[in-house]
């Protein structure tokens, strides 16, 4: 488990993350100095133990101390002068206001900056703590101010969030789901990537803010999954259904359930199933006096995504709006509860001239509940439909891309400079909002 070129590393903060990182980086052959404010924690490491319980950690740390690859100090300057790379692993707790407390991060960066002022060689500072997007940029400012030195010439700040779980931290360190390294320059990201060369996990090198944000996306998803399973459990129990049997089979679906499907920021959901099924379970939960606050808010969140699309179109100030896609997803003519219908309805209500192209919809052929839905919402729908994509490109001032139907491929290369595009689905994943192109949530 040794890394290819041993590095000289200081670790700031010997809590859970710091101790696990320090021990494992030493075990990989690097020389590691822990820097910690609490003297008892420094003494614990230097006497060959760790200041916390984590299965297997004390034994591994003792071996590293014995072999002189791991030591600790309270002296920041000594830690920095003896190393080339620093990991910042201090706490980032909540303030009473619920905002993140970054005071320990700022204090460490200031200390590191003062010490770097005395160095002749370049130093790389890795933020391992969980920090909000933009924090690493702030760390650059603090270090530059305290050191009088410049980034990237004299030092770099890199983001490398930690994904371990207490209780299984050693196993998680050796087998993480992935390693994420964010930096302003790829060569700095690679310096950190190389420290994990011996770890068999996908390595993602990205920019600072993406790396910082990924950690939050992961933790918010974990929290959401726990509450989802518990809310399914609560409704199951009230119905005398075995929730574990339900969730075991649920988890066997790796096509739609445990998969990237439905996990791309885009437009609202709709169609003949999801909205009505949510309503049915909510009504049932009320009858059974079962609180499902997370599921209860889903339709509202979905409604707000439609509202955002409406506001984005209205903000363009354009009159003639061309919509590409009208059904709730490509390759169907099902209009029931399509969020595109809601968008068209709102725009018409605001006096906009709307034209719609959807290759799969022929209004004369709509029948049954599908016909009834659209007649109730937009009775003159056939007057809004046009027969070709060319007509939309020709006549609209603002084009709304509603799905990824193959007919719309290359559309972004065909729009004129005077036209505004609002993309609800990110038809081209390389495009970000700029110059007449607006992604709904990117
Ligand atoms: N604990 C986890 O399972 C876990 C997992 C992933 C990420 N994280 C994140 O990692 C960060 C650290 O978490 P933790 O649980 O290890 O925290 P912790 O509170 O256990 O340890 C932080 C340590 O930093 C020390 N410290 C504070 N200011 C210092 C300074 N100026 N100089 C030197 N040392 C200083 C503290 O004394 C403490 O020992 C947090 O941002 C947390 O959100 C934690």
């Amino acid at each position: 488990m040794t890394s290819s070129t041993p590095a000289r590393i200081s670790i700031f903060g010997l809590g859970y993350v710091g101790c696990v990182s320090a021990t494992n980086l030493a075990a990989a052959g690097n020389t590691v100095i822990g820097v910690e404010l609490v003297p008892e924690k420094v003494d614990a490491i230097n006497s060959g133990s760790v200041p916390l319980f984590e299965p297997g950690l004390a034994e591994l740390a003792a071996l590293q101390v014995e072999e002189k690859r791991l030591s600790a100090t309270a002296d920041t300057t000594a830690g920095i002068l003896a190393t080339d790379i620093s990991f910042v692993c201090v706490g980032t707790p909540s303030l009473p206001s619920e905002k993140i407390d970054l005071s320990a991060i700022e204090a460490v960066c200031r200390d590191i900056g003062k010490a770097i002022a005395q160095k002749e060689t370049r130093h790389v500072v890795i933020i391992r703590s969980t920090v909000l997007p933009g924090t690493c940029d702030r760390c650059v400012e603090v270090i530059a101010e305290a050191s009088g030195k410049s980034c990237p010439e004299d030092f770099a700040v890199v983001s490398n969030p930690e994904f371990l779980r207490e209780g299984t931290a050693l196993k998680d360190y050796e087998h993480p789901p992935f390693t994420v390294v964010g930096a302003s320059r790829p060569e700095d990201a690679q310096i950190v990537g190389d420290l994990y060369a011996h770890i068999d996990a996908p390595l993602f090198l990205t920019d600072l803010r993406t790396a910082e944000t990924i950690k939050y996306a992961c933790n918010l998803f974990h929290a959401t999954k726990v509450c989802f399973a518990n809310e399914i459990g609560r409704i199951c129990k009230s119905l005398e259904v075995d929730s574990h049997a339900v969730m075991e089979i649920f988890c066997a679906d790796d096509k739609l359930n445990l998969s990237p499907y439905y996990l791309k920021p885009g437009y609202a959901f709709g169609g003949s199933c999801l909205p009505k099924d949510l309503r049915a379970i909510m009504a049932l939960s009320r009858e059974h006096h079962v609180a499902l606050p997370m599921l209860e808010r889903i339709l509202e969140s979905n409604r707000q995504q439609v509202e955002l699309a409406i506001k984005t179109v209205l903000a363009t100030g354009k009159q003639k709006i061309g919509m590409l896609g009208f059904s709730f997803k490509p390759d169907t003519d099902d209009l029931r509860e399509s969020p595109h219908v809601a968008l068209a309805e709102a725009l018409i209500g605001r006096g906009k001239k709307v034209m719609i192209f959807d290759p799969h919809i022929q209004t004369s052929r709509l029948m049954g509940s599908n016909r009834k839905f659209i007649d109730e919402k937009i009775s003159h729908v056939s007057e809004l439909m046009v027969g070709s994509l060319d007509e939309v490109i020709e006549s609209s001032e603002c084009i709304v891309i509603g799905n990824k139907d193959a007919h719309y491929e290359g559309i972004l290369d065909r729009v004129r400079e005077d036209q505004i595009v609002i993309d609800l689905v990110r038809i081209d994943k390389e495009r970000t909002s700029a110059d007449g192109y607006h992604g709904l949530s990117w």
Side-chain angles (χ1 to χ4, degrees):
M1 70 189 252
T2 53
S3 56
S4 42
T5 319
R8 303 188 309 159
I9 300 168
S10 43
I11 306 270
F12 284 76
L14 292 174
Y16 286 88
V17 168
C19 282
V20 171
S21 300
T23 304
N24 279 290
L25 286 164
N30 303 294
T31 304
V32 179
I33 304 175
V35 184
E36 167 61 55
L37 292 179
V38 178
E40 291 79 8
K41 293 193 179 188
V42 173
D43 294 344
I45 292 287
N46 287 332
S47 63
S49 69
V50 282
L52 51 95
F53 175 70
E54 179 62 40
L57 187 62
E59 296 80 348
L60 189 59
L63 190 63
Q64 306 318 311
V65 174
E66 197 184 307
E67 294 188 355
K68 307 215 175 316
R69 283 192 297 269
L70 176 61
S71 61
T73 178
D75 183 345
T76 309
T77 311
I80 290 291
L81 294 181
T83 59
D84 310 301
I85 298 172
S86 298
F87 279 81
V88 176
C89 305
V90 297
T92 52
S94 296
L95 289 164
S97 64
E98 297 194 352
K99 283 185 175 178
I100 188 169
D101 181 356
L102 291 172
S103 56
I105 295 275
E106 292 220 5
V108 168
C109 286
R110 202 160 296 115
D111 288 348
I112 290 175
K114 284 183 200 152
I116 283 179
Q118 301 177 35
K119 273 192 83 175
E120 307 252 303
T121 50
R122 194 169 185 264
H123 203 86
V124 177
V125 179
I126 302 161
I127 307 297
R128 190 84 164 137
S129 302
T130 302
V131 293
L132 288 172
T135 305
C136 286
D137 293 332
R138 172 71 191 137
C139 293
V140 170
E141 285 171 13
V142 173
I143 295 171
E145 202 181 282
S147 64
K149 299 213 169 187
S150 313
C151 175
E153 295 79 10
D154 307 315
F155 71 92
V157 173
V158 177
S159 166
N160 172 220
E162 171 64 80
F163 294 98
L164 66 77
R165 297 160 299 168
E166 288 169 18
T168 53
L170 283 192
K171 219 188 289 164
D172 290 347
Y173 186 93
E174 277 298 313
H175 306 284
F178 43 50
T179 300
V180 178
V181 184
S184 307
R185 302 190 321 164
E187 53 268 47
D188 289 327
Q190 195 57 55
I191 293 172
V192 183
D194 288 348
L195 293 174
Y196 300 113
H198 61 294
I199 288 181
D200 184 20
L203 172 66
F204 291 96
L205 304 182
T206 182
D207 61 85
L208 285 169
R209 284 171 187 240
T210 302
E212 291 169 318
T213 310
I214 285 167
K215 176 65 190 172
Y216 281 95
C218 292
N219 277 357
L220 298 188
F221 192 45
H222 299 164
T224 304
K225 289 208 295 186
V226 170
C227 288
F228 175 77
N230 286 339
E231 291 201 5
I232 294 291
R234 295 211 284 271
I235 193 76
C236 282
K237 183 152 184 169
S238 78
L239 300 170
E240 295 181 15
V241 173
D242 181 351
S243 61
H244 281 245
V246 170
M247 290 311 287
E248 223 165 275
I249 297 172
F250 169 96
C251 290
D253 174 357
D254 59 6
K255 290 198 167 69
L256 300 181
N257 290 351
L258 306 189
S259 79
Y261 213 85
Y262 301 124
L263 285 175
K264 288 195 171 63
Y267 196 34
F269 65 76
S272 61
C273 294
L274 302 192
K276 94 172 163 56
D277 296 347
L278 263 162
R279 287 193 295 266
I281 289 291
M282 286 310 117
L284 186 72
S285 72
R286 286 190 287 273
E287 258 171 53
H288 285 252
H289 305 289
V290 177
L292 305 177
M294 193 178 90
L295 293 172
E296 183 91 59
R297 299 291 292 160
I298 287 177
L299 282 172
E300 172 57 16
S301 172
N302 201 47
R303 192 194 64 73
Q304 287 191 18
Q305 195 71 353
V306 177
E307 198 58 39
L308 179 64
I310 297 167
K311 280 190 187 144
T312 309
V313 176
L314 292 178
T316 66
K318 301 289 186 191
Q319 265 309 107
K320 296 179 186 167
I321 316 297
M323 292 178 60
L324 302 181
F326 202 37
S327 54
F328 77 104
K329 62 176 184 179
D331 297 320
T332 174
D333 67 352
D334 195 348
L335 292 174
R336 288 173 297 171
E337 301 214 38
S338 165
H340 301 300
V341 174
L343 174 60
E345 202 185 358
L347 295 176
I348 293 164
R350 296 295 290 263
K352 302 293 174 189
K353 185 172 176 339
V354 173
M355 75 187 73
I356 302 160
F357 173 65
D358 189 318
H360 306 291
I361 295 174
Q362 285 177 285
T363 46
S364 58
R365 288 175 55 185
L366 298 176
M367 281 181 250
S369 55
N370 202 10
R371 167 99 257 158
K372 186 166 175 281
F373 176 79
I374 197 64
D375 281 348
E376 276 170 14
K377 294 285 175 190
I378 309 175
S379 55
H380 64 299
V381 65
S382 53
E383 292 164 29
L384 310 177
M385 305 293 300
V386 297
S388 74
L389 180 61
D390 292 348
E391 279 181 74
V392 173
I393 296 176
E394 176 71 32
S395 310
S396 42
E397 297 163 337
C398 169
I399 297 175
V400 180
I401 304 172
N403 65 43
K404 289 186 178 170
D405 192 284
H407 288 79
Y408 314 142
E409 222 167 85
I411 172 79
L412 295 178
D413 299 328
R414 297 186 56 197
V415 294
R416 298 187 306 270
E417 271 187 13
D418 61 307
Q419 287 173 314
I420 292 182
V421 172
I422 294 173
D423 188 351
L424 306 182
V425 291
R426 202 166 198 175
I427 196 145
D428 173 355
K429 73 182 175 68
E430 303 304 326
R431 288 293 281 263
T432 48
S433 295
D435 301 333
Y437 170 88
H438 303 283
L440 190 61
S441 302
W442 56 91

